Amino acid sequence: MQAISISSLHEPTTVVMVGLLIAVRKDYFRVINHRELLFNDCGDRVAQLLHVELAPPCSPCRNNDTRQEILIVNTHLLFPHDSSLSLVRLNQVYKILQYVESYQKENKLSPTPIMLCGDWNGSKRGHVYKFLRSQGFVSSYDTAHQYTDADAHKWVSHLNHRGNICGVDFIWLLNPNRYRKLLKTSWSEAVFGMFKYLLRRASLTEEDAFAFLKADSDCDCITYSGFCEALQQLNLTGHCNGLSDEETKDLWVQADIDGNGVLDYKEFQQRIWNPTWSEQKDDVIQDDSPKGREEQTIGFSVENAVLFPPEVEKGMWPENYSLSDHARLTVVFSPIRMPCSQLIS
């Protein structure tokens, strides 16, 4: 179970997620719309989008020119039973972000805070975590405790069916003052990151990986056919859960920086071996413009975040805890004014 609490000068108000049920306090939130998202993949997993508006007394301002809306998504990703499902899980998150983006455009929404909640079935070391970070999302629990991306061992939230303990329950926050990469760019970089992971898992060095991709090419470069063959050998294509032909071509276009139809060693380094997606920067818009000229919106600061039972906050699972195999995550947010992003870069 997860809970989002919005604090104000009055009593905190809460949104509670149990499974894919989202329960809201109607005294403090006005439900504008809700949508269901079907992934239509091998896991039969789904997501739910809820579009709500803060109402007094929770709202920090009541003038009509300041947005006070939130998009909340709740989901439960597929468990990575084997490595071939890592791409499926990544694609599920991609579909969520695509859907949120299309919903914003369809409804002509201005920059709005987005919260993603649920069981992500993957830790901070995984591709899903890095993908969401590349899109500007922050883990609310880690923000509250000032943990970094490298602090994967600090806390756990799940005892899985294999007897392993790990942190898989996140409430992600994307404030409207954060710069974001184009979604398609982040997706390509995430897949290239997975590509590199598989190459390194096969104990290939940088030079060996380039030779593997180059295959039998007469020139010192990677051809499209060699690229496709490598993807298939790494089990990223050639099956129902793999990359489609269109996605493969899109990756190739992203990798072929100069557009000459082949990848030289420099392009291999820049797009596959040393992708920039893992170098996430927490860029925000600085409110240094003259007052009254900067367009304002409502975002959220993370005031507190708590996991229960308390042992999981120290990276341990209590032996006598049988209420659930998931810890309960509660995050307290406080609405704040902030300048909104006008550019997606």
Side-chain angles (χ1 to χ4, degrees):
M1 185 179 78
Q2 296 181 342
I4 297 171
S5 181
I6 310 294
S7 65
S8 67
L9 295 177
H10 303 268
E11 63 177 297
T13 183
T14 303
V15 177
V16 178
M17 277 73 63
V18 182
L20 286 187
L21 166 70
I22 303 179
V24 301
R25 284 283 301 272
K26 295 181 69 174
D27 294 345
Y28 299 101
F29 293 97
R30 183 174 73 88
V31 178
I32 299 174
N33 200 357
H34 71 91
R35 298 282 181 86
E36 294 180 353
L37 172 58
L38 306 179
F39 296 139
N40 295 318
D41 56 25
C42 63
D44 291 327
R45 297 304 171 106
V46 296
Q48 185 180 52
L49 180 145
L50 195 66
H51 183 186
V52 300
E53 181 180 27
L54 287 178
C58 214
S59 174
C61 57
R62 301 173 190 177
N63 57 313
N64 294 329
D65 62 341
T66 304
R67 290 168 293 277
Q68 302 164 61
E69 301 173 11
I70 318 169
L71 295 179
I72 301 173
V73 177
N74 192 19
T75 191
H76 186 170
L77 296 190
L78 185 66
F79 185 86
H81 294 283
D82 59 64
S83 59
S84 69
L85 298 179
S86 295
L87 186 60
V88 177
R89 292 165 33 75
L90 196 63
N91 206 15
Q92 289 174 344
V93 180
Y94 187 35
K95 288 179 180 178
I96 289 174
L97 298 184
Q98 282 180 313
Y99 192 83
V100 170
E101 194 173 87
S102 65
Y103 181 86
Q104 290 176 301
K105 291 178 180 178
E106 174 189 337
N107 292 276
K108 297 180 173 59
L109 299 184
S110 298
T112 304
I114 301 170
M115 296 180 185
L116 307 180
C117 315
D119 178 0
W120 300 87
N121 261 325
S123 73
K124 294 174 68 173
R125 300 183 180 93
H127 301 291
V128 165
Y129 179 92
K130 294 174 183 177
F131 180 38
L132 286 168
R133 291 289 290 123
S134 76
Q135 274 290 289
F137 285 88
V138 296
S139 162
S140 300
Y141 184 84
D142 291 296
T143 299
H145 294 269
Q146 299 182 338
Y147 292 152
T148 68
D149 290 338
D151 292 328
H153 62 287
K154 297 284 188 178
W155 58 274
V156 297
S157 67
H158 180 41
L159 174 65
N160 68 27
H161 61 282
R162 294 176 176 172
N164 300 322
I165 57 172
C166 44
V168 302
D169 298 274
F170 294 88
I171 296 178
W172 293 94
L173 171 66
L174 178 66
N175 268 323
N177 68 335
R178 295 180 61 84
Y179 289 112
R180 297 170 61 189
K181 290 183 181 179
L182 290 172
L183 180 55
K184 193 171 185 178
T185 300
S186 279
W187 160 252
S188 298
E189 292 175 344
V191 177
F192 282 133
M194 186 177 296
F195 197 179
K196 177 184 176 180
Y197 168 78
L198 294 171
L199 290 169
R200 296 188 67 177
R201 196 175 69 173
S203 300
L204 296 181
T205 64
E206 180 178 326
E207 292 77 14
D208 292 338
F210 182 74
F212 168 70
L213 289 164
K214 190 176 68 170
D216 297 328
S217 173
D218 293 332
C219 59
D220 194 27
C221 57
I222 301 166
T223 64
Y224 181 65
S225 60
F227 179 74
C228 292
E229 177 64 24
L231 288 175
Q232 186 165 4
Q233 289 191 45
L234 293 172
N235 205 31
L236 291 174
T237 62
H239 55 91
C240 61
N241 300 321
L243 296 167
S244 66
D245 291 341
E246 182 180 355
E247 289 170 334
T248 302
K249 289 177 183 176
D250 284 342
L251 285 175
W252 176 259
V253 170
Q254 291 280 338
D256 187 11
I257 299 172
D258 59 14
N260 68 346
V262 294
L263 305 185
D264 59 25
Y265 194 80
K266 185 176 181 180
E267 289 171 319
F268 161 76
Q269 286 181 313
Q270 290 181 331
R271 285 293 186 262
I272 299 175
W273 200 256
N274 294 311
T276 58
W277 76 299
S278 59
E279 299 171 7
Q280 168 64 24
K281 295 180 180 179
D282 294 329
D283 294 330
V284 297
I285 299 174
Q286 300 299 321
D287 188 12
D288 55 2
S289 60
K291 295 298 180 182
R293 294 181 58 187
E294 181 75 37
E295 184 177 356
Q296 294 286 306
T297 187
I298 296 299
F300 291 96
S301 63
V302 181
E303 298 298 313
N304 195 17
V306 178
L307 282 163
F308 181 85
E311 290 89 343
V312 301
E313 295 197 308
K314 299 177 182 178
M316 301 178 291
W317 192 267
E319 293 183 5
N320 60 347
Y321 187 70
S322 58
L323 180 62
S324 172
D325 58 359
H326 282 269
R328 186 177 71 223
L329 172 60
T330 302
V331 179
V332 179
F333 297 98
S334 180
I336 56 173
R337 294 172 183 251
M338 60 178 56
C340 64
S341 172
Q342 298 296 321
L343 296 174
I344 297 179
S345 57

